[in-house]
Amino acid sequence: MQVDWKREIAQLVYIKQVLSEADKVHLYPHHLPKVGASSAQVEKCEKYLGFRLNSEHSEFLVCANGWDGFIQATNLFGTEDFVGSERFKAAESLLDVYEYNVFLDAGFARDYLFPLAASELDGDVFAMVKPDCPGAGKVLWFAGYLIDQYLSFSEFFLSMMDYNRMGIEKLKS
């Protein structure tokens, strides 16, 4: 599926603005996405990680190089995060402390996964299956156990957009 990332990002920016207005007590951070990465930044990131990023993910990064507060207090990592930032290392460490059976239940070995996003407030980590591994490109949501799976980066992104929409309804009620 070809995704128009500029359109989807603009739509989520609007949703996040409405969410911010509904968040009268400032429960969560509300940020705009970061400016898109250059192809050189994406290449440097891939070199550091030791593998090429999923094409949907790298196309997204060229439009938005990460997004703090992407969903509640969860930060979607950008190229700068992937090249050794403390929050990327913390997300890796969090995945490392999960029991082996958490990954087994999800159908993946721990070394198949790398963190894509993580919460600053709780144990939520979103991890993508690395290329050349079974299930490459899938995104898994862990919070001590497997919460959900997404077939692709775009499905993950669109689902998080829906969670942001639901947040608006919850804050208004």
Side-chain angles (χ1 to χ4, degrees), residues 45-109:
C45 171
E46 291 174 332
K47 185 175 181 180
Y48 183 87
L49 291 171
F51 55 86
R52 290 186 56 89
L53 295 171
N54 171 280
S55 62
E56 280 189 340
H57 186 204
S58 62
E59 290 166 10
F60 169 82
L61 290 170
V62 170
C63 295
N65 194 10
W67 197 328
D68 290 346
F70 174 64
I71 175 73
Q72 297 176 349
T74 298
N75 300 321
L76 181 59
F77 298 144
T79 58
E80 293 150 5
D81 294 304
F82 291 120
V83 293
S85 75
E86 288 305 313
R87 61 188 189 175
F88 181 77
K89 289 177 187 175
E92 286 263 291
S93 295
L94 189 55
L95 284 176
D96 289 341
V97 300
Y98 285 146
E99 298 291 327
Y100 173 76
N101 63 341
V102 170
F103 301 111
L104 189 61
D105 290 346
F108 300 95

Side-chain angles (χ1 to χ4, degrees), residues 14-31:
Y14 173 74
I15 292 166
K16 297 287 289 174
Q17 287 173 334
V18 173
L19 183 63
S20 177
E21 291 168 9
D23 186 5
K24 303 294 185 201
V25 295
H26 309 289
L27 288 171
Y28 302 110
H30 301 285
H31 301 282

